Amino acid sequence: MCGIVGYTGTKDAFPILIKGLQRLEYRGYDSAGVALANDGLQLYKCKGKVVDLQNHIGNGTTHGNSGIGHTRWATHGEPNDVNAHPHFSMGGNIILIHNGIIENYDSVKKELVARGYIFKSDTDTEVLVNLIEEIQKSENCKLSEAVRKALNEVHGAYAIVVMSEDEPGVIVAARKSSPLVIGIGEDGDFFLASDATPIVEYTKNVVYLEDGEIAEIVPGQELKLFTEKKQKVTPYIQELELHLEELEKGGYDHFMLKEIYEQPRSVHDSMRGRLSVKRGLVHLGGMGDYEKKMLAADRIIFIACGTSWHAGLVGEYLIEDLARIPVEVEYASEFRYRNPIITERDVVIAISQSGETADTLAALELATRKGATILGICNVVGSSIARITDGGSYTHAGPEIGVASTKAFTSQVTVLSLLALMLGQAKGTIERSRFHRTLVDLSVIPEKIEAALQTDAIVKKIAAEFKDARNFLYLGRGYCFPLALEGALKLKEISYIHAEGYPAAEMKHGPIALIDEEMPVVVIATKGPSYEKVVSNIQEVKARKGVVIAVVSEGDEQVKEIADYTIEIPETEEMFAPLVASVPLQLLSYHIAVMRECNVDQPRNLAKSVTVE
Ligand code: M6R
């Protein structure tokens, strides 16, 4: 989704803005722009990538100690040069960048048109900047006051950053439902961004703007915060836990590949300090405080989108199996619009890598209004979901830059495994010997993931065979059914090959009609209670001339005889199979996408964090 950067201070703003925009590229976008304050406001913007913007600027003037930059993911108006941000007000003295949607833009626009305003773009953003100009003109007030008053007249979601020619060096920023971080530099300079990635190389001291807050930023002065109702707010300065090297590719061709290879460590980090085999203990700090609530709950409801929803499905199987608490898994975008039955006896847990997904946030707000306890499992520290929930646990996977979620998924499943074990132990639904065995099995998963990474070469060969396929089916049963969905999503999103995930046994109820010699079928056939049934499903595919690529447990002979290709991974307890078997599926989609020359880290039309509903 849209990315915002800003800088004001004593340094040259342009390189900071360009580097910031590059750091935000992973969020997904279709146009880019910068505005620099230097004896007036200088604007450059165009459709395309940051590199296109640099070419467009060429030898143009880029001086100035303050400026703003934007990557736009189109919502209102097609991606083109005119709709790209920043947007000038009609009078040309105010300039603004925006992430989000102004819902009542149409009525505001009509009023402004009636007052003589002419619009160049199709965006809701241009409406807002003109509204600010109109208020400033009629009330003769400071920029920050005009912004405050304008925000009282609009509804929707936004993070905005505004500059005015009349107040050189001053930046005004505000947020509602879209994230915005302000970095406080050592030399009295300030950095702004949609997330901390563009800021971390300059400062570790940051303030996360809260919903409804407005910041007036003047270099060399203290950061001033106030609410839309004009109440002063004391900035809460936090120290970033992010490290610069985590944002680099570190020798890998793509972030996605780096993140796949990071999984032994990221899964280990998700468990660190939370599991002790020696002491027979599992403890999830921020969740532990709500243990009693969860044990007494009528239901635990996971809300999430995309890959996080798949992790939620694994979580459902885990918690119902180990802790015998009823669990439901909901698509956040459906949940909030279907008048769900929620009571104060429900515990609603949002699962989100970014912690900023708009539908998930809105679903949490609904659950809060209905009186449920709300918890979060997020990766990004300080994200909106992490801040609005009553409690929760971070996944500690480290920054995930590739749009396709890989390590975030395995870390989410790891935290959900710990949660299920913690609840099962507290409730007494797992007998001691099983609890201990399961703990040991979970603790060695990082080594098994490491071994699963050794499948890379064979997976690459298989990818070469199937890179031109038009469709794929993914099948799995039990704990591996959510993984079939996840494998199919990975392939779709980065290689643009149509793929479907199904519970293996459901195939007979429809999808089997699709099977012929042109249809590769990826089957997760690892050892476990439903192994024999999956073998039968493979036979059914083979009987119809389907091509089977099977992910099997090491040493499996039975499937090897019938499948066309097998990928062996270490055997593990069935409930942890998704953690290990996800590795070859991620690698398969990665290699196919590379061979098809797709943009692996920034697939078309996609955004890393979806901050619009
Ligand atoms: O940040 P979140 O986990 O809330 O994001 C949810 C989905 O947008 C995300 O998982 C998406 O499906 C990924 N591109 C999948 O790889």
Side-chain angles (χ1 to χ4, degrees):
M1 297 275 118
C2 302
I4 281 178
V5 289
Y7 171 77
T8 185
T10 51
K11 300 182 183 65
D12 204 5
F14 183 68
I16 297 172
L17 298 177
I18 289 292
K19 203 158 187 198
L21 292 179
Q22 285 162 343
R23 290 252 186 254
L24 292 177
E25 284 192 297
Y26 80 98
R27 294 168 69 91
Y29 69 108
D30 38 54
S31 50
V34 288
L36 294 147
N38 175 35
D39 201 13
L41 295 167
Q42 187 75 45
L43 169 65
Y44 299 101
K45 59 181 183 172
C46 65
K47 181 181 169 187
K49 298 288 179 190
V50 177
V51 65
D52 300 310
L53 174 67
Q54 288 172 290
N55 292 335
H56 168 70
I57 297 171
N59 294 327
T61 324
T62 55
H63 299 306
N65 301 126
S66 58
I68 56 181
H70 191 266
T71 48
R72 172 174 187 253
W73 190 86
T75 55
H76 287 69
E78 62 171 290
N80 60 27
D81 294 356
V82 178
N83 288 335
H85 296 211
H87 285 279
F88 266 124
S89 60
M90 193 177 78
N93 61 329
I94 301 177
I95 200 155
L96 181 145
I97 49 176
H98 167 216
N99 175 11
I101 292 174
I102 305 298
E103 282 163 9
N104 59 335
Y105 81 101
D106 200 31
S107 56
V108 179
K109 186 172 180 174
K110 282 186 182 127
E111 278 177 37
L112 289 167
V113 168
R115 287 180 206 185
Y117 277 83
I118 297 165
F119 289 83
K120 293 188 193 129
S121 76
D122 310 316
T123 64
D124 48 344
T125 307
E126 198 185 0
V127 176
L128 183 56
V129 73
N130 279 327
L131 177 64
I132 295 169
E133 179 179 278
E134 176 61 17
I135 291 172
Q136 195 174 30
K137 263 197 329 205
S138 58
E139 308 217 358
N140 196 18
C141 56
K142 276 184 17 175
L143 178 67
S144 58
E145 181 59 2
V147 169
R148 188 189 72 78
K149 289 201 160 145
L151 293 180
N152 276 288
E153 289 186 30
V154 295
H155 18 99
Y158 50 79
I160 57 165
V161 182
V162 198
M163 296 193 304
S164 165
E165 205 175 274
D166 305 330
E167 295 177 45
V170 175
I171 287 184
V172 177
R175 80 156 263 174
K176 186 178 274 168
S177 303
S178 284
L180 199 56
V181 191
I182 302 172
I184 303 175
E186 279 175 6
D187 308 326
D189 49 359
F190 293 92
F191 305 82
L192 293 100
S194 297
D195 62 47
T197 55
I199 295 179
V200 66
E201 64 192 280
Y202 307 105
T203 177
K204 291 236 159 188
N205 295 325
V206 296
V207 172
Y208 291 91
L209 271 197
E210 296 289 345
D211 271 355
E213 284 180 359
I214 300 165
E216 186 182 37
I217 304 165
V218 185
Q221 294 186 13
E222 300 261 292
L223 175 64
K224 284 192 209 93
L225 297 187
F226 52 95
T227 67
E228 285 171 10
K229 301 265 168 292
K230 223 177 171 172
Q231 281 149 342
K232 208 176 151 211
V233 178
T234 309
Y236 171 54
I237 302 172
Q238 301 185 41
E239 196 174 327
L240 282 179
E241 284 178 20
L242 199 61
H243 301 285
L244 197 54
E245 52 290 0
E246 293 176 308
L247 306 176
E248 311 284 352
K249 284 192 200 139
Y252 287 90
D253 288 343
H254 298 96
F255 280 109
M256 182 183 178
L257 189 62
K258 176 184 174 228
E259 287 153 9
I260 292 172
Y261 271 84
E262 275 174 354
Q263 289 176 107
R265 189 194 49 74
S266 55
V267 165
H268 182 264
D269 286 348
S270 302
M271 291 187 222
R272 195 204 302 270
R274 294 168 164 177
L275 173 155
S276 164
V277 172
K278 225 159 122 197
R279 300 195 350 251
L281 257 183
V282 169
H283 187 70
L284 275 170
M287 289 275 189
D289 303 343
Y290 293 88
E291 187 179 274
K292 282 205 179 102
K293 272 249 169 189
M294 285 188 268
L295 294 176
D298 283 349
R299 293 171 305 171
I300 290 177
I301 303 169
F302 288 122
I303 50 174
C305 303
T307 288
S308 299
W309 187 85
H310 298 153
L313 270 189
V314 181
E316 175 184 26
Y317 289 26
L318 283 161
I319 292 176
E320 292 201 341
D321 181 6
L322 298 176
R324 313 301 299 151
I325 300 170
V327 178
E328 283 171 25
V329 189
E330 298 268 2
Y331 284 114
S333 53
E334 287 297 312
F335 176 80
R336 50 179 304 228
Y337 289 114
R338 66 168 183 77
N339 195 13
I341 300 167
I342 311 285
T343 74
E344 57 284 356
R345 292 182 51 81
D346 291 322
V347 174
V348 173
I349 306 181
I351 306 174
S352 174
Q353 187 287 129
S354 61
E356 301 294 349
T357 302
D359 282 318
T360 310
L361 272 162
L364 276 182
E365 278 157 19
L366 173 72
T368 310
R369 285 200 299 278
K370 302 245 179 194
T373 300
I374 59 164
L375 304 175
I377 297 177
C378 296
N379 191 37
V380 177
V381 177
S383 56
S384 300
I385 292 176
R387 284 180 296 129
I388 69 162
T389 40
D390 299 321
S393 291
Y394 284 118
T395 47
H396 295 308
E400 190 181 68
I401 307 291
V403 162
S405 236
T406 51
K407 64 175 182 171
F409 172 74
T410 44
S411 282
Q412 287 166 342
V413 173
T414 303
V415 169
L416 289 162
S417 306
L418 293 168
L419 179 63
L421 280 164
M422 181 181 89
L423 294 174
Q425 187 185 33
K427 200 168 169 191
T429 43
I430 322 176
E431 56 175 279
R432 266 180 81 161
S433 58
R434 184 178 180 209
F435 178 78
H436 187 76
R437 220 178 40 242
T438 314
L439 222 58
V440 173
D441 286 335
L442 182 57
S443 70
V444 296
I445 289 296
E447 288 104 88
K448 293 193 177 175
I449 292 178
E450 188 78 65
L453 286 165
Q454 306 303 315
T455 61
D456 199 357
I458 168 98
V459 171
K460 197 169 173 181
K461 277 193 193 143
I462 297 172
E465 298 278 326
F466 293 99
K467 68 178 175 36
D468 298 319
R470 292 169 59 88
N471 299 287
F472 262 77
L473 269 184
Y474 284 72
L475 303 178
R477 291 182 88 126
Y479 282 95
C480 290
F481 157 55
L483 187 57
L485 298 178
E486 175 58 9
L489 175 62
K490 286 293 83 89
L491 189 69
K492 273 187 272 217
E493 67 180 333
I494 60 166
S495 72
Y496 320 140
I497 295 175
H498 172 246
E500 295 293 336
Y502 270 97
E506 269 296 301
M507 203 188 41
K508 302 189 273 301
H509 302 285
I512 199 161
L514 294 168
I515 299 210
D516 60 15
E517 55 280 3
E518 303 276 291
M519 175 66 87
V521 184
V522 178
V523 188
I524 305 131
T526 47
K527 286 278 161 63
S530 43
Y531 172 76
E532 293 299 338
K533 301 272 183 217
V534 177
V535 174
S536 305
N537 299 139
I538 294 177
Q539 304 275 20
E540 289 156 12
V541 174
K542 285 310 304 169
R544 282 148 190 94
K545 299 196 168 45
V547 187
V548 172
I549 303 159
V551 178
V552 297
S553 304
E554 233 155 32
D556 183 302
E557 291 302 329
Q558 203 177 342
V559 174
K560 221 180 235 173
E561 275 185 19
I562 47 173
D564 299 270
Y565 302 85
T566 49
I567 304 165
E568 291 188 48
I569 57 167
E571 188 169 345
T572 184
E573 173 69 28
E574 194 215 6
M575 67 181 70
F576 303 134
L579 288 168
V580 185
S582 54
V583 172
L585 301 192
Q586 294 163 352
L587 288 168
L588 183 65
S589 59
Y590 170 78
H591 288 303
I592 289 180
V594 171
M595 288 169 193
R596 289 167 70 93
E597 296 181 8
C598 297
N599 187 342
V600 172
D601 286 332
Q602 292 162 37
R604 68 183 181 204
N605 305 338
L606 286 179
K608 181 66 183 163
S609 70
V610 182
T611 52
V612 291
E613 294 167 30

